[in-house]
Every structure is written in C-alpha cells, then in structure tokens.
Amino acid sequence: MREKPKYLPPTLRDKHRYIAFQVIGERPFKKDEIKRAIWDASISALGTLGSARAKPWFIKFDEKSQTGIVRVDRKHVEELRFAMTLVTEINGSRAIFRTLGVSGTIKRLKRKFLAGYGWR
C-alpha cells in the first residue's frame, strides 16, 4: 500500500513575493526572451550565490500587453527589482523593465496591478 508523500508544513516553507512588471521596448518580446533576460540580469547583478538566495522564478508573461509576473524570496525583493532595472537591451533591442508592484499572492497581484492590462 502506498503512503502519502511527505510535505513541508506551511511554517517551514519558503515565503515568496510576486513582482508584476512591464517591459517597454522597441519591439514586442517573446516569453523566452524575457525569461532569459531576467535570469541573466539576476546572475550579473547578484552573482551566482545571490541569485541562489533570491530564487527568482518566472511565472507568466503576456506577450500582448508585455506584462508579467516573477516570484522571488521575500528577503530579496529589492535586490531582484534592482537587477531588473539594470536591463537596457534584450537580444539587441533596447528595452527596460518597469516594476508595477509587489504582492504576497498572485491573485492579489493580478487584481491590484495587472487588471488594467487585461489580466484576470
């Protein structure tokens, strides 16, 4: 008989924050380009160890409105926001990241910061 898998109780899980962002650039960007730009920015600004501590995780990106969500450890929100602001180009095209807001849940982030961009 199979046992239920063990899981961490909520008190021992990592606490996350979600950052809503908008990409402003010369052309529309694809999801994979944005994902790579966030990771490269994190590695270059925070280093390998800093990126490992911040745990940036790409959640979603809407190519129509050029807005998206990235998850980060709650103690390193400002560091990832700083790393994202250092991006000046993506694949040879000029672009910048604009932080729309930070929240503890995706539902609240969508309702508060991304509703005006067509997110549900």
Side-chain angles (χ1 to χ4, degrees):
M1 189 165 147
R2 294 182 69 179
E3 294 182 22
K4 285 187 170 182
K6 303 246 180 199
Y7 64 92
L8 284 175
T11 56
L12 295 178
R13 292 184 202 151
D14 292 336
K15 307 292 192 283
H16 299 110
R17 294 296 176 261
Y18 299 92
I19 300 174
F21 65 89
Q22 179 182 24
V23 180
I24 303 168
E26 295 177 331
R27 63 176 178 86
F29 296 100
K30 300 282 184 194
K31 174 181 144 184
D32 294 333
E33 293 174 312
I34 300 301
K35 185 187 297 188
R36 187 71 190 166
I38 290 172
W39 184 249
D40 288 344
S42 174
I43 292 289
S44 67
L46 308 177
T48 307
L49 187 58
S51 293
R53 288 185 180 138
K55 299 178 208 138
W57 192 258
F58 185 80
I59 301 292
K60 195 170 182 183
F61 184 71
D62 181 33
E63 294 178 2
K64 190 175 81 174
S65 65
Q66 295 290 294
T67 55
I69 301 172
V70 65
R71 184 180 76 193
V72 64
D73 188 74
R74 74 170 174 185
K75 296 175 186 170
H76 302 278
V77 172
E78 293 303 318
E79 293 172 11
L80 186 66
R81 287 180 66 182
F82 166 72
M84 288 170 61
T85 59
L86 293 179
V87 173
T88 57
E89 69 175 14
I90 301 172
N91 285 349
S93 298
R94 294 174 33 143
I96 59 168
F97 281 88
R98 177 177 167 230
T99 302
L100 301 175
V102 178
S103 180
T105 63
I106 293 176
K107 181 178 181 179
R108 182 70 177 158
L109 188 79
K110 287 180 181 179
R111 190 179 332 140
K112 193 171 181 181
F113 302 110
L114 297 172
Y117 296 98
W119 289 66
R120 290 181 177 255

